[in-house]
């Protein structure tokens, strides 16, 4: 994923140089990286196997809940190693057939490549549910192909969190290269697009910690804890990026974040990307039935996936509750009667932008279409809704408010936020790099 490796993709170094794809660092650094790659991977997959072994051991208390997107060609050359870690619970996803920049490829180029990449997973008996583009790059054609070949998620979009003590030109450069957006502006949440769930990747990742930023050991060790706490406060998703070959260098920051996650209550869900995508789709399909009993009471019936967590605030219900997070109580039933001074749902005008309604539903809010604005604690009547309006909307609905509301929690089993530990596998041996450079 390092931008320098862009130079060595697909069509060879000379062509890459001619196309100006060695971004800012020049040939000398590309050569230095080549030497470093020999040291990192070696001629056999022994080094990567050891790295994966350490990674799997760290994730063992979490049932091996990690996801490694791997280049299909690298999988094809090393199936036994990958099968071994799949048996330990690790999930693998596709990181391209080759380590190509998908943003530069047409539909006609990507369709056969990703189909062939998927077939390699089948031939190697590795379960495949999702994709992450090399360099976190993709285009509309990528998403179209992923939908067509039946994958369930894409984890290529990226967000950067405001946790870095001192920004650097290198880190700015890489954020720009990835097309990363600020998590202060855009929520770090799954979102459904077609049949795919998009799962944003969080920066800084391992590469930024080690190569792009200037951090003291204490700052580095606390970086992912800080993101974890921010995402927890917001009830959002933190997708950690840690290339397995750097596990020894980033073991302390990873373990610090996981230890913190383990101590929080309500808990944090440490999950594989495919579990998060499947949950988001299943919870979104929850059937909601609201039956009025009087002007101030309603019968609520929710039919959703196992683990569905129902939240309420500013209301009275006829079933047991227990404190959850902020003003919310967890309502410990999916069928209950609620008493409230206003309808404890979100009202939208019939002409409200579908994008706004869809966003609210994906968050788990219960929506009613109505022209009676005064019946609701929140009522929206706007014909446009942009991604930049998502975070202010969530702040309005969630921050320091006790306005009556019943909603589905975003996450299962009363968890507050989700963490997914992921790491791209570009190669298992240096030969994977060499073949990639000349293919
Ligand atoms: Zn990569």
């Amino acid at each position: 994923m390092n931008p320098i490796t862009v130079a060595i993709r697909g069509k060879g170094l000379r062509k890459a140089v001619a196309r100006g794809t060695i971004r800012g660092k020049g040939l000398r650094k590309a050569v230095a990286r080549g030497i470093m790659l020999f040291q990192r991977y070696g001629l056999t997959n022994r080094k990567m196997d050891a790295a994966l072994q350490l990674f799997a051991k760290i994730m063992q208390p979490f049932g091996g809940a990690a996801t490694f997107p791997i280049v299909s060609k690298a999988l094809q050359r090393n199936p036994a190693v990958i099968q071994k870690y799949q048996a330990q619970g690790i999930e693998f996803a596709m990181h391209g057939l080759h380590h190509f920049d998908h943003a530069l490829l047409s539909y006609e180029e990507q369709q056969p490549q990703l189909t062939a990449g998927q077939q390699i997973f089948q031939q190697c008996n590795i379960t495949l549910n999702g994709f992450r583009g090399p360099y976190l790059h993709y285009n509309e054609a990528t998403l179209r192909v992923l939908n067509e070949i039946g994958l369930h998620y894409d984890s290529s979009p990226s967000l950067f969190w405001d946790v870095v003590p001192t920004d650097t030109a290198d880190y700015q450069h890489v954020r720009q290269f990835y097309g990363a957006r600020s998590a202060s502006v855009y929520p770090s949440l799954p979102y459904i697009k077609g049949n795919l769930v998009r799962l944003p990747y969080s920066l800084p990742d391992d590469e930024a910690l080690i190569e792009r930023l200037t951090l003291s050991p204490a700052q580095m060790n606390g970086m992912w804890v800080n993101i974890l706490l921010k995402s927890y406060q917001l009830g959002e998703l933190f997708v950690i990026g840690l290339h397995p070959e750097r596990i020894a260098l980033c073991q302390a920051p990873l373990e610090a974040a996981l230890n913190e996650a383990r101590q929080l209550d309500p808990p944090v869900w440490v999950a594989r990307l495919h579990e998060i995508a499947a949950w988001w789709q299943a919870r979104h399909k929850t059937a909601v039935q609201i039956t009025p009993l009087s002007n101030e009471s309603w019968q609520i019936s929710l039919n959703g996936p196992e683990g569905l967590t129902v939240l309420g605030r500013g209301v009275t219900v006829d079933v047991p509750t227990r404190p959850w997070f902020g003003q919310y109580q967890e309502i410990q039933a999916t069928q209950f009667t609620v008493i409230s001074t206003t309808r404890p749902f979100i009202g939208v005008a019939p002409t409200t932008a579908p994008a706004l309604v869809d966003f609210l539903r994906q968050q788990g809010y219960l929506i009613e279409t109505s022209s009676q604005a005064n019946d609701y604690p929140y009522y929206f009547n706007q014909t446009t809704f942009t991604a930049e309006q998502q975070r202010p909307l969530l702040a309005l609905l969630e921050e320091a408010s006790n306005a009556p509301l019943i909603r589905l929690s975003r996450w299962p089993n009363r968890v507050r936020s989700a963490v997914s530990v992921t790491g791209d596998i570009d190669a298992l041996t240096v030969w994977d790099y060499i073949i990639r450079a000349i293919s």
Side-chain angles (χ1 to χ4, degrees), residues 313 345-361 365-385 389-398 405:
R313 70 177 192 213
F345 320 113
I346 292 180
V348 295
T351 51
T352 300
L356 172 57
V357 177
D358 182 49
F359 177 73
L360 289 169
R361 278 196 211 285
Y365 295 108
L366 309 189
I367 314 295
E368 288 189 330
T369 303
S370 167
S371 42
Q372 304 297 316
N374 293 337
D375 286 357
Y376 298 91
Y378 303 99
Y379 183 83
F380 298 102
N381 181 9
Q382 58 189 80
T383 52
T384 60
F385 183 68
Q389 292 173 296
Q390 292 175 356
R391 208 174 258 310
L393 174 64
L394 293 175
L396 171 76
L397 297 173
E398 294 297 319
L405 207 58

Side-chain angles (χ1 to χ4, degrees), residues 100-360:
F100 287 176
D101 183 342
H102 286 68
L104 301 178
L105 300 176
S106 66
Y107 172 81
E108 288 68 27
E109 289 166 310
Q110 293 186 69
Q111 202 280 337
Q113 282 186 23
L114 294 174
T115 302
Q118 185 181 37
Q119 282 166 356
I120 289 171
F121 273 73
Q122 284 164 358
Q123 287 154 8
C124 296
N125 290 319
I126 300 297
T127 304
L128 176 63
N129 280 294
F131 173 84
R132 175 179 291 149
Y135 322 109
L136 304 173
H137 281 185
Y138 61 92
N139 57 23
E140 285 303 314
T142 318
L143 303 183
R144 184 179 156 198
V145 177
L146 296 178
N147 259 308
E148 285 173 359
I149 66 174
L151 295 198
H152 300 140
Y153 71 83
D154 167 45
S155 182
S156 306
S158 54
L159 292 170
F160 61 92
W161 293 82
D162 183 18
V163 290
V164 172
T166 313
D167 204 359
T168 63
D170 249 8
Y171 185 47
Q172 280 173 21
H173 171 82
V174 83
R175 293 198 309 262
Q176 195 177 15
F177 176 65
Y178 293 154
R181 307 198 296 179
S182 169
S184 303
V185 179
Y186 301 94
S188 183
L189 288 166
Y191 65 98
I192 297 167
K193 187 174 163 110
N195 294 319
L196 279 182
V197 182
R198 312 291 308 280
L199 299 166
Y201 180 89
S202 287
L203 294 166
D205 59 1
D206 62 321
E207 193 216 24
L209 293 190
I210 292 179
E211 295 184 17
R212 308 279 164 189
L213 295 165
T214 315
L215 301 170
S216 69
Q219 285 172 332
M220 191 169 126
N221 289 351
M223 197 60 61
W224 289 342
V225 172
N226 289 342
I227 300 180
L228 177 86
L229 293 174
K230 276 179 181 268
S231 60
Y232 185 80
Q233 193 61 35
L234 294 161
E236 297 186 359
L237 169 66
F238 174 22
V239 176
I240 296 179
L242 202 181
H243 292 74
E245 66 266 25
R246 288 205 193 88
I247 182 63
L249 293 171
C250 290
Q251 183 173 357
L254 176 63
E255 290 189 321
L258 291 173
N259 287 338
E260 187 72 33
R262 227 194 300 228
Q263 286 165 27
L264 291 165
D265 185 63
V268 175
W269 187 26
V270 181
R272 299 158 192 83
L273 291 178
H274 83 86
E275 295 173 287
I276 292 172
W279 166 258
W280 203 258
Q281 289 276 20
R283 199 262 294 130
H284 185 49
K285 291 188 181 116
T286 298
V288 179
Q289 202 177 342
I290 300 170
T291 311
L293 301 176
S294 74
N295 281 346
E296 294 196 342
S297 65
W298 296 266
Q299 172 71 33
I300 312 281
S301 176
L302 304 165
N303 188 2
E306 199 183 328
L308 185 72
T309 301
V310 188
L311 306 173
R313 70 177 192 213
V315 296
T316 305
V317 293
D318 66 342
V319 293
T321 64
R322 58 174 165 167
W324 188 67
F325 186 89
Q327 305 289 329
Y328 283 110
Q329 295 282 317
E330 179 195 353
I331 298 171
Q332 296 178 281
T334 51
Q335 302 209 357
F336 56 93
T337 299
V338 57
I339 299 169
S340 170
T341 49
T342 58
R343 297 180 80 87
F345 320 113
I346 292 180
V348 295
T351 51
T352 300
L356 172 57
V357 177
D358 182 49
F359 177 73
L360 289 169

Side-chain angles (χ1 to χ4, degrees), residues 1 95 99 134-135 243 424 426:
M1 189 152 34
H95 193 44
H99 202 272
Y135 322 109
H243 292 74
D424 301 346
D426 298 348

Side-chain angles (χ1 to χ4, degrees), residues 25-141:
K25 289 210 168 182
L27 187 58
R28 194 185 304 169
K29 285 203 175 178
V31 171
R33 180 168 168 82
I35 294 165
M36 183 267 289
L37 289 172
F38 266 97
Q39 291 167 343
R40 180 179 295 172
Y41 294 104
L43 297 173
T44 71
N45 61 32
R46 194 176 49 83
K47 276 191 176 179
M48 270 299 275
D49 191 13
L52 288 166
Q53 201 169 339
L54 174 58
F55 214 141
K57 191 173 156 221
I58 293 167
M59 298 311 297
Q60 214 169 26
F62 301 91
T67 301
F68 297 144
I70 180 170
V71 172
S72 288
K73 284 289 183 185
L75 165 62
Q76 191 174 38
R77 287 188 284 272
N78 306 273
V81 176
I82 301 308
Q83 286 159 358
K84 182 171 71 175
Y85 293 102
Q86 177 172 259
Q88 294 178 30
I90 304 274
E91 179 197 2
F92 292 88
M94 200 203 313
H95 193 44
L97 172 65
H98 305 277
H99 202 272
F100 287 176
D101 183 342
H102 286 68
L104 301 178
L105 300 176
S106 66
Y107 172 81
E108 288 68 27
E109 289 166 310
Q110 293 186 69
Q111 202 280 337
Q113 282 186 23
L114 294 174
T115 302
Q118 185 181 37
Q119 282 166 356
I120 289 171
F121 273 73
Q122 284 164 358
Q123 287 154 8
C124 296
N125 290 319
I126 300 297
T127 304
L128 176 63
N129 280 294
F131 173 84
R132 175 179 291 149
Y135 322 109
L136 304 173
H137 281 185
Y138 61 92
N139 57 23
E140 285 303 314

